[in-house]
Amino acid sequence: MTETAVYAAGGVIWRLVESKIKVLLIHRTAYRDITLPKGKVDPGETLAETAVREIFEETGIRVSLGVPVGVSRYHMPNKRQKIVHYWSAHATDAAIRSSAFVPNREIAAIEWVSPKKALKRLSYPVDVEILENFLRFVEDGVLETFPLIVLRHAKALTREEWKGKDAARPLSPRGRKQAGAAVGQLLAFGPHTIVSSPAVRCVKTVVPLSAATGRRIERTTLISQDAWEEGGSDARRIVGERVRARRPAVLCSHGPVLPDILSEIALATGTLRGSYLGSASALDTGAFSVVHLSATNPGSGIVAIETHEPKV
């Protein structure tokens, strides 16, 4: 991020009504315009966290993020550039029923309309472009997706600092901060399952996420560094289970194992492998890549990959 630009995030919120897509527009009170839900990044927030928070604050609907659908850039009246990142987000029936939205000083109304009507009614060309990006996914047969989140463990004590077994090497003070700070980022993508190498540095990385979600950590040596070094790892089996499940999942592992995990996701979904896999697996400690797959047809290939750096 640059110091001069103003960053914001939001989403194209969608639902199915009698098998037809509807997208959510907001009518802003002060500006008397029609736009997509979005808002500025708060101090200490990541873009993904901002998108989920702003969508909830403006619509009352809690969502998990789907595929990224673009970035809009424009200059505000004060000449500063505003950069807005958008994701697709499915509004479930339960989330819509739970919405406590009422018209307020910021948002006068929210409205579900067809994409065709939305394209005509949006007040700004940059919003139209974002919606058109979303509709390209729809035209390609990709609407409902699920993420596999490949997470490298947070910063651990170095081998020189630790005299015990490598698998028992704990997180450093910075690593513990990274693990706690990652929770909001990871929650933005709605993980249902947490799978981890049994190494202490991996398990401790996802303990805060487990506490926040109430979901247990599934430990497996099949993605551990010890097994990888001994030739006994099996990322294919773990990835296959997660792709078949078609549910959002976090896979926490080690730097040397991550390329195997990304490669197996590509193989399991019939995706052509390329340099992008190397970029997605070359993660710093505490960073993660989100691999978006079609929930209706995972074999159609990877839909999108995005990488998120640690906050600490």
Side-chain angles (χ1 to χ4, degrees):
M1 295 187 180
T2 66
E3 293 183 2
T4 56
V6 174
Y7 286 85
V12 176
I13 317 307
W14 63 272
R15 66 189 292 197
L16 291 177
V17 178
E18 297 179 350
S19 300
K20 294 183 179 180
I21 298 175
K22 302 291 184 180
V23 295
L24 187 63
L25 304 181
I26 62 170
H27 297 244
R28 295 195 298 181
T29 306
Y31 297 97
R32 295 183 177 275
D33 59 8
I34 300 174
T35 185
L36 300 170
K38 68 178 184 297
K40 290 188 291 186
V41 174
D42 279 348
E45 267 189 335
T46 63
L47 290 162
E49 290 172 293
T50 298
V52 171
R53 176 184 57 76
E54 284 288 344
I55 290 166
F56 176 70
E57 289 180 358
E58 293 192 343
T59 71
I61 300 172
R62 293 192 183 277
V63 299
S64 298
L65 302 181
V67 294
V69 291
V71 181
S72 68
R73 293 175 172 85
Y74 55 92
H75 285 89
M76 300 183 295
N78 63 7
K79 306 303 182 183
R80 293 183 70 184
Q81 186 182 40
K82 190 168 187 177
I83 301 174
V84 190
H85 290 246
Y86 289 91
W87 282 264
S88 162
H90 178 209
T92 66
D93 290 342
I96 293 169
R97 287 195 299 269
S98 298
S99 172
F101 172 82
V102 292
N104 54 71
R105 288 184 297 177
E106 183 179 358
I107 309 298
I110 60 176
E111 181 182 20
W112 291 101
V113 299
S114 69
K116 185 176 180 179
K117 287 185 178 179
L119 289 170
K120 293 179 180 179
R121 300 188 65 182
L122 285 166
S123 299
Y124 307 107
V126 289
D127 287 348
V128 170
E129 183 179 350
I130 294 299
L131 181 55
E132 287 175 339
N133 290 344
F134 166 78
L135 292 175
R136 289 191 189 98
F137 284 109
V138 177
E139 290 166 3
D140 289 340
V142 178
L143 182 59
E144 186 178 357
T145 60
F146 70 97
L148 294 184
I149 303 165
V150 182
L151 168 67
R152 186 178 179 187
H153 65 76
K155 182 69 175 176
L157 295 181
T158 65
R159 293 175 186 260
E160 291 74 23
E161 293 173 311
W162 180 250
K163 303 306 179 185
K165 292 183 178 180
D166 185 64
R169 189 151 48 97
L171 296 180
S172 68
R174 181 187 174 201
R176 291 194 293 272
K177 290 179 181 178
Q178 286 179 333
V183 172
Q185 284 180 288
L186 294 167
L187 287 177
F189 298 95
H192 285 261
T193 305
I194 305 170
V195 182
S196 174
S197 158
V200 169
R201 57 191 181 277
C202 286
V203 173
K204 291 299 184 181
T205 296
V206 291
V207 161
L209 178 64
S210 174
T213 60
R215 299 186 182 277
R216 67 183 182 86
I217 301 168
E218 299 180 14
R219 298 167 172 82
T220 173
T221 59
L222 298 180
I223 55 172
S224 72
Q225 186 164 336
D226 284 349
W228 181 85
E229 290 175 351
E230 296 166 1
S233 61
D234 192 355
R236 176 166 297 183
R237 177 175 164 185
I238 299 303
V239 167
E241 290 173 353
R242 301 279 45 94
V243 172
R244 288 193 297 273
R246 306 187 190 197
R247 302 292 295 276
V250 172
L251 307 178
C252 184
S253 188
H254 311 260
V257 188
L258 301 183
D260 288 354
I261 294 175
L262 267 295
S263 179
E264 291 300 338
I265 294 175
L267 285 169
T269 57
T271 309
L272 292 174
R273 286 180 287 181
S275 60
Y276 69 95
L277 291 176
S279 300
S281 62
L283 300 175
D284 291 332
T285 52
F288 62 91
S289 288
V290 184
V291 185
H292 297 275
L293 304 174
S294 168
T296 53
N297 186 16
S300 61
I302 293 171
V303 177
I305 298 181
E306 53 182 301
T307 297
H308 296 258
E309 297 299 326
K311 294 168 65 173
V312 180

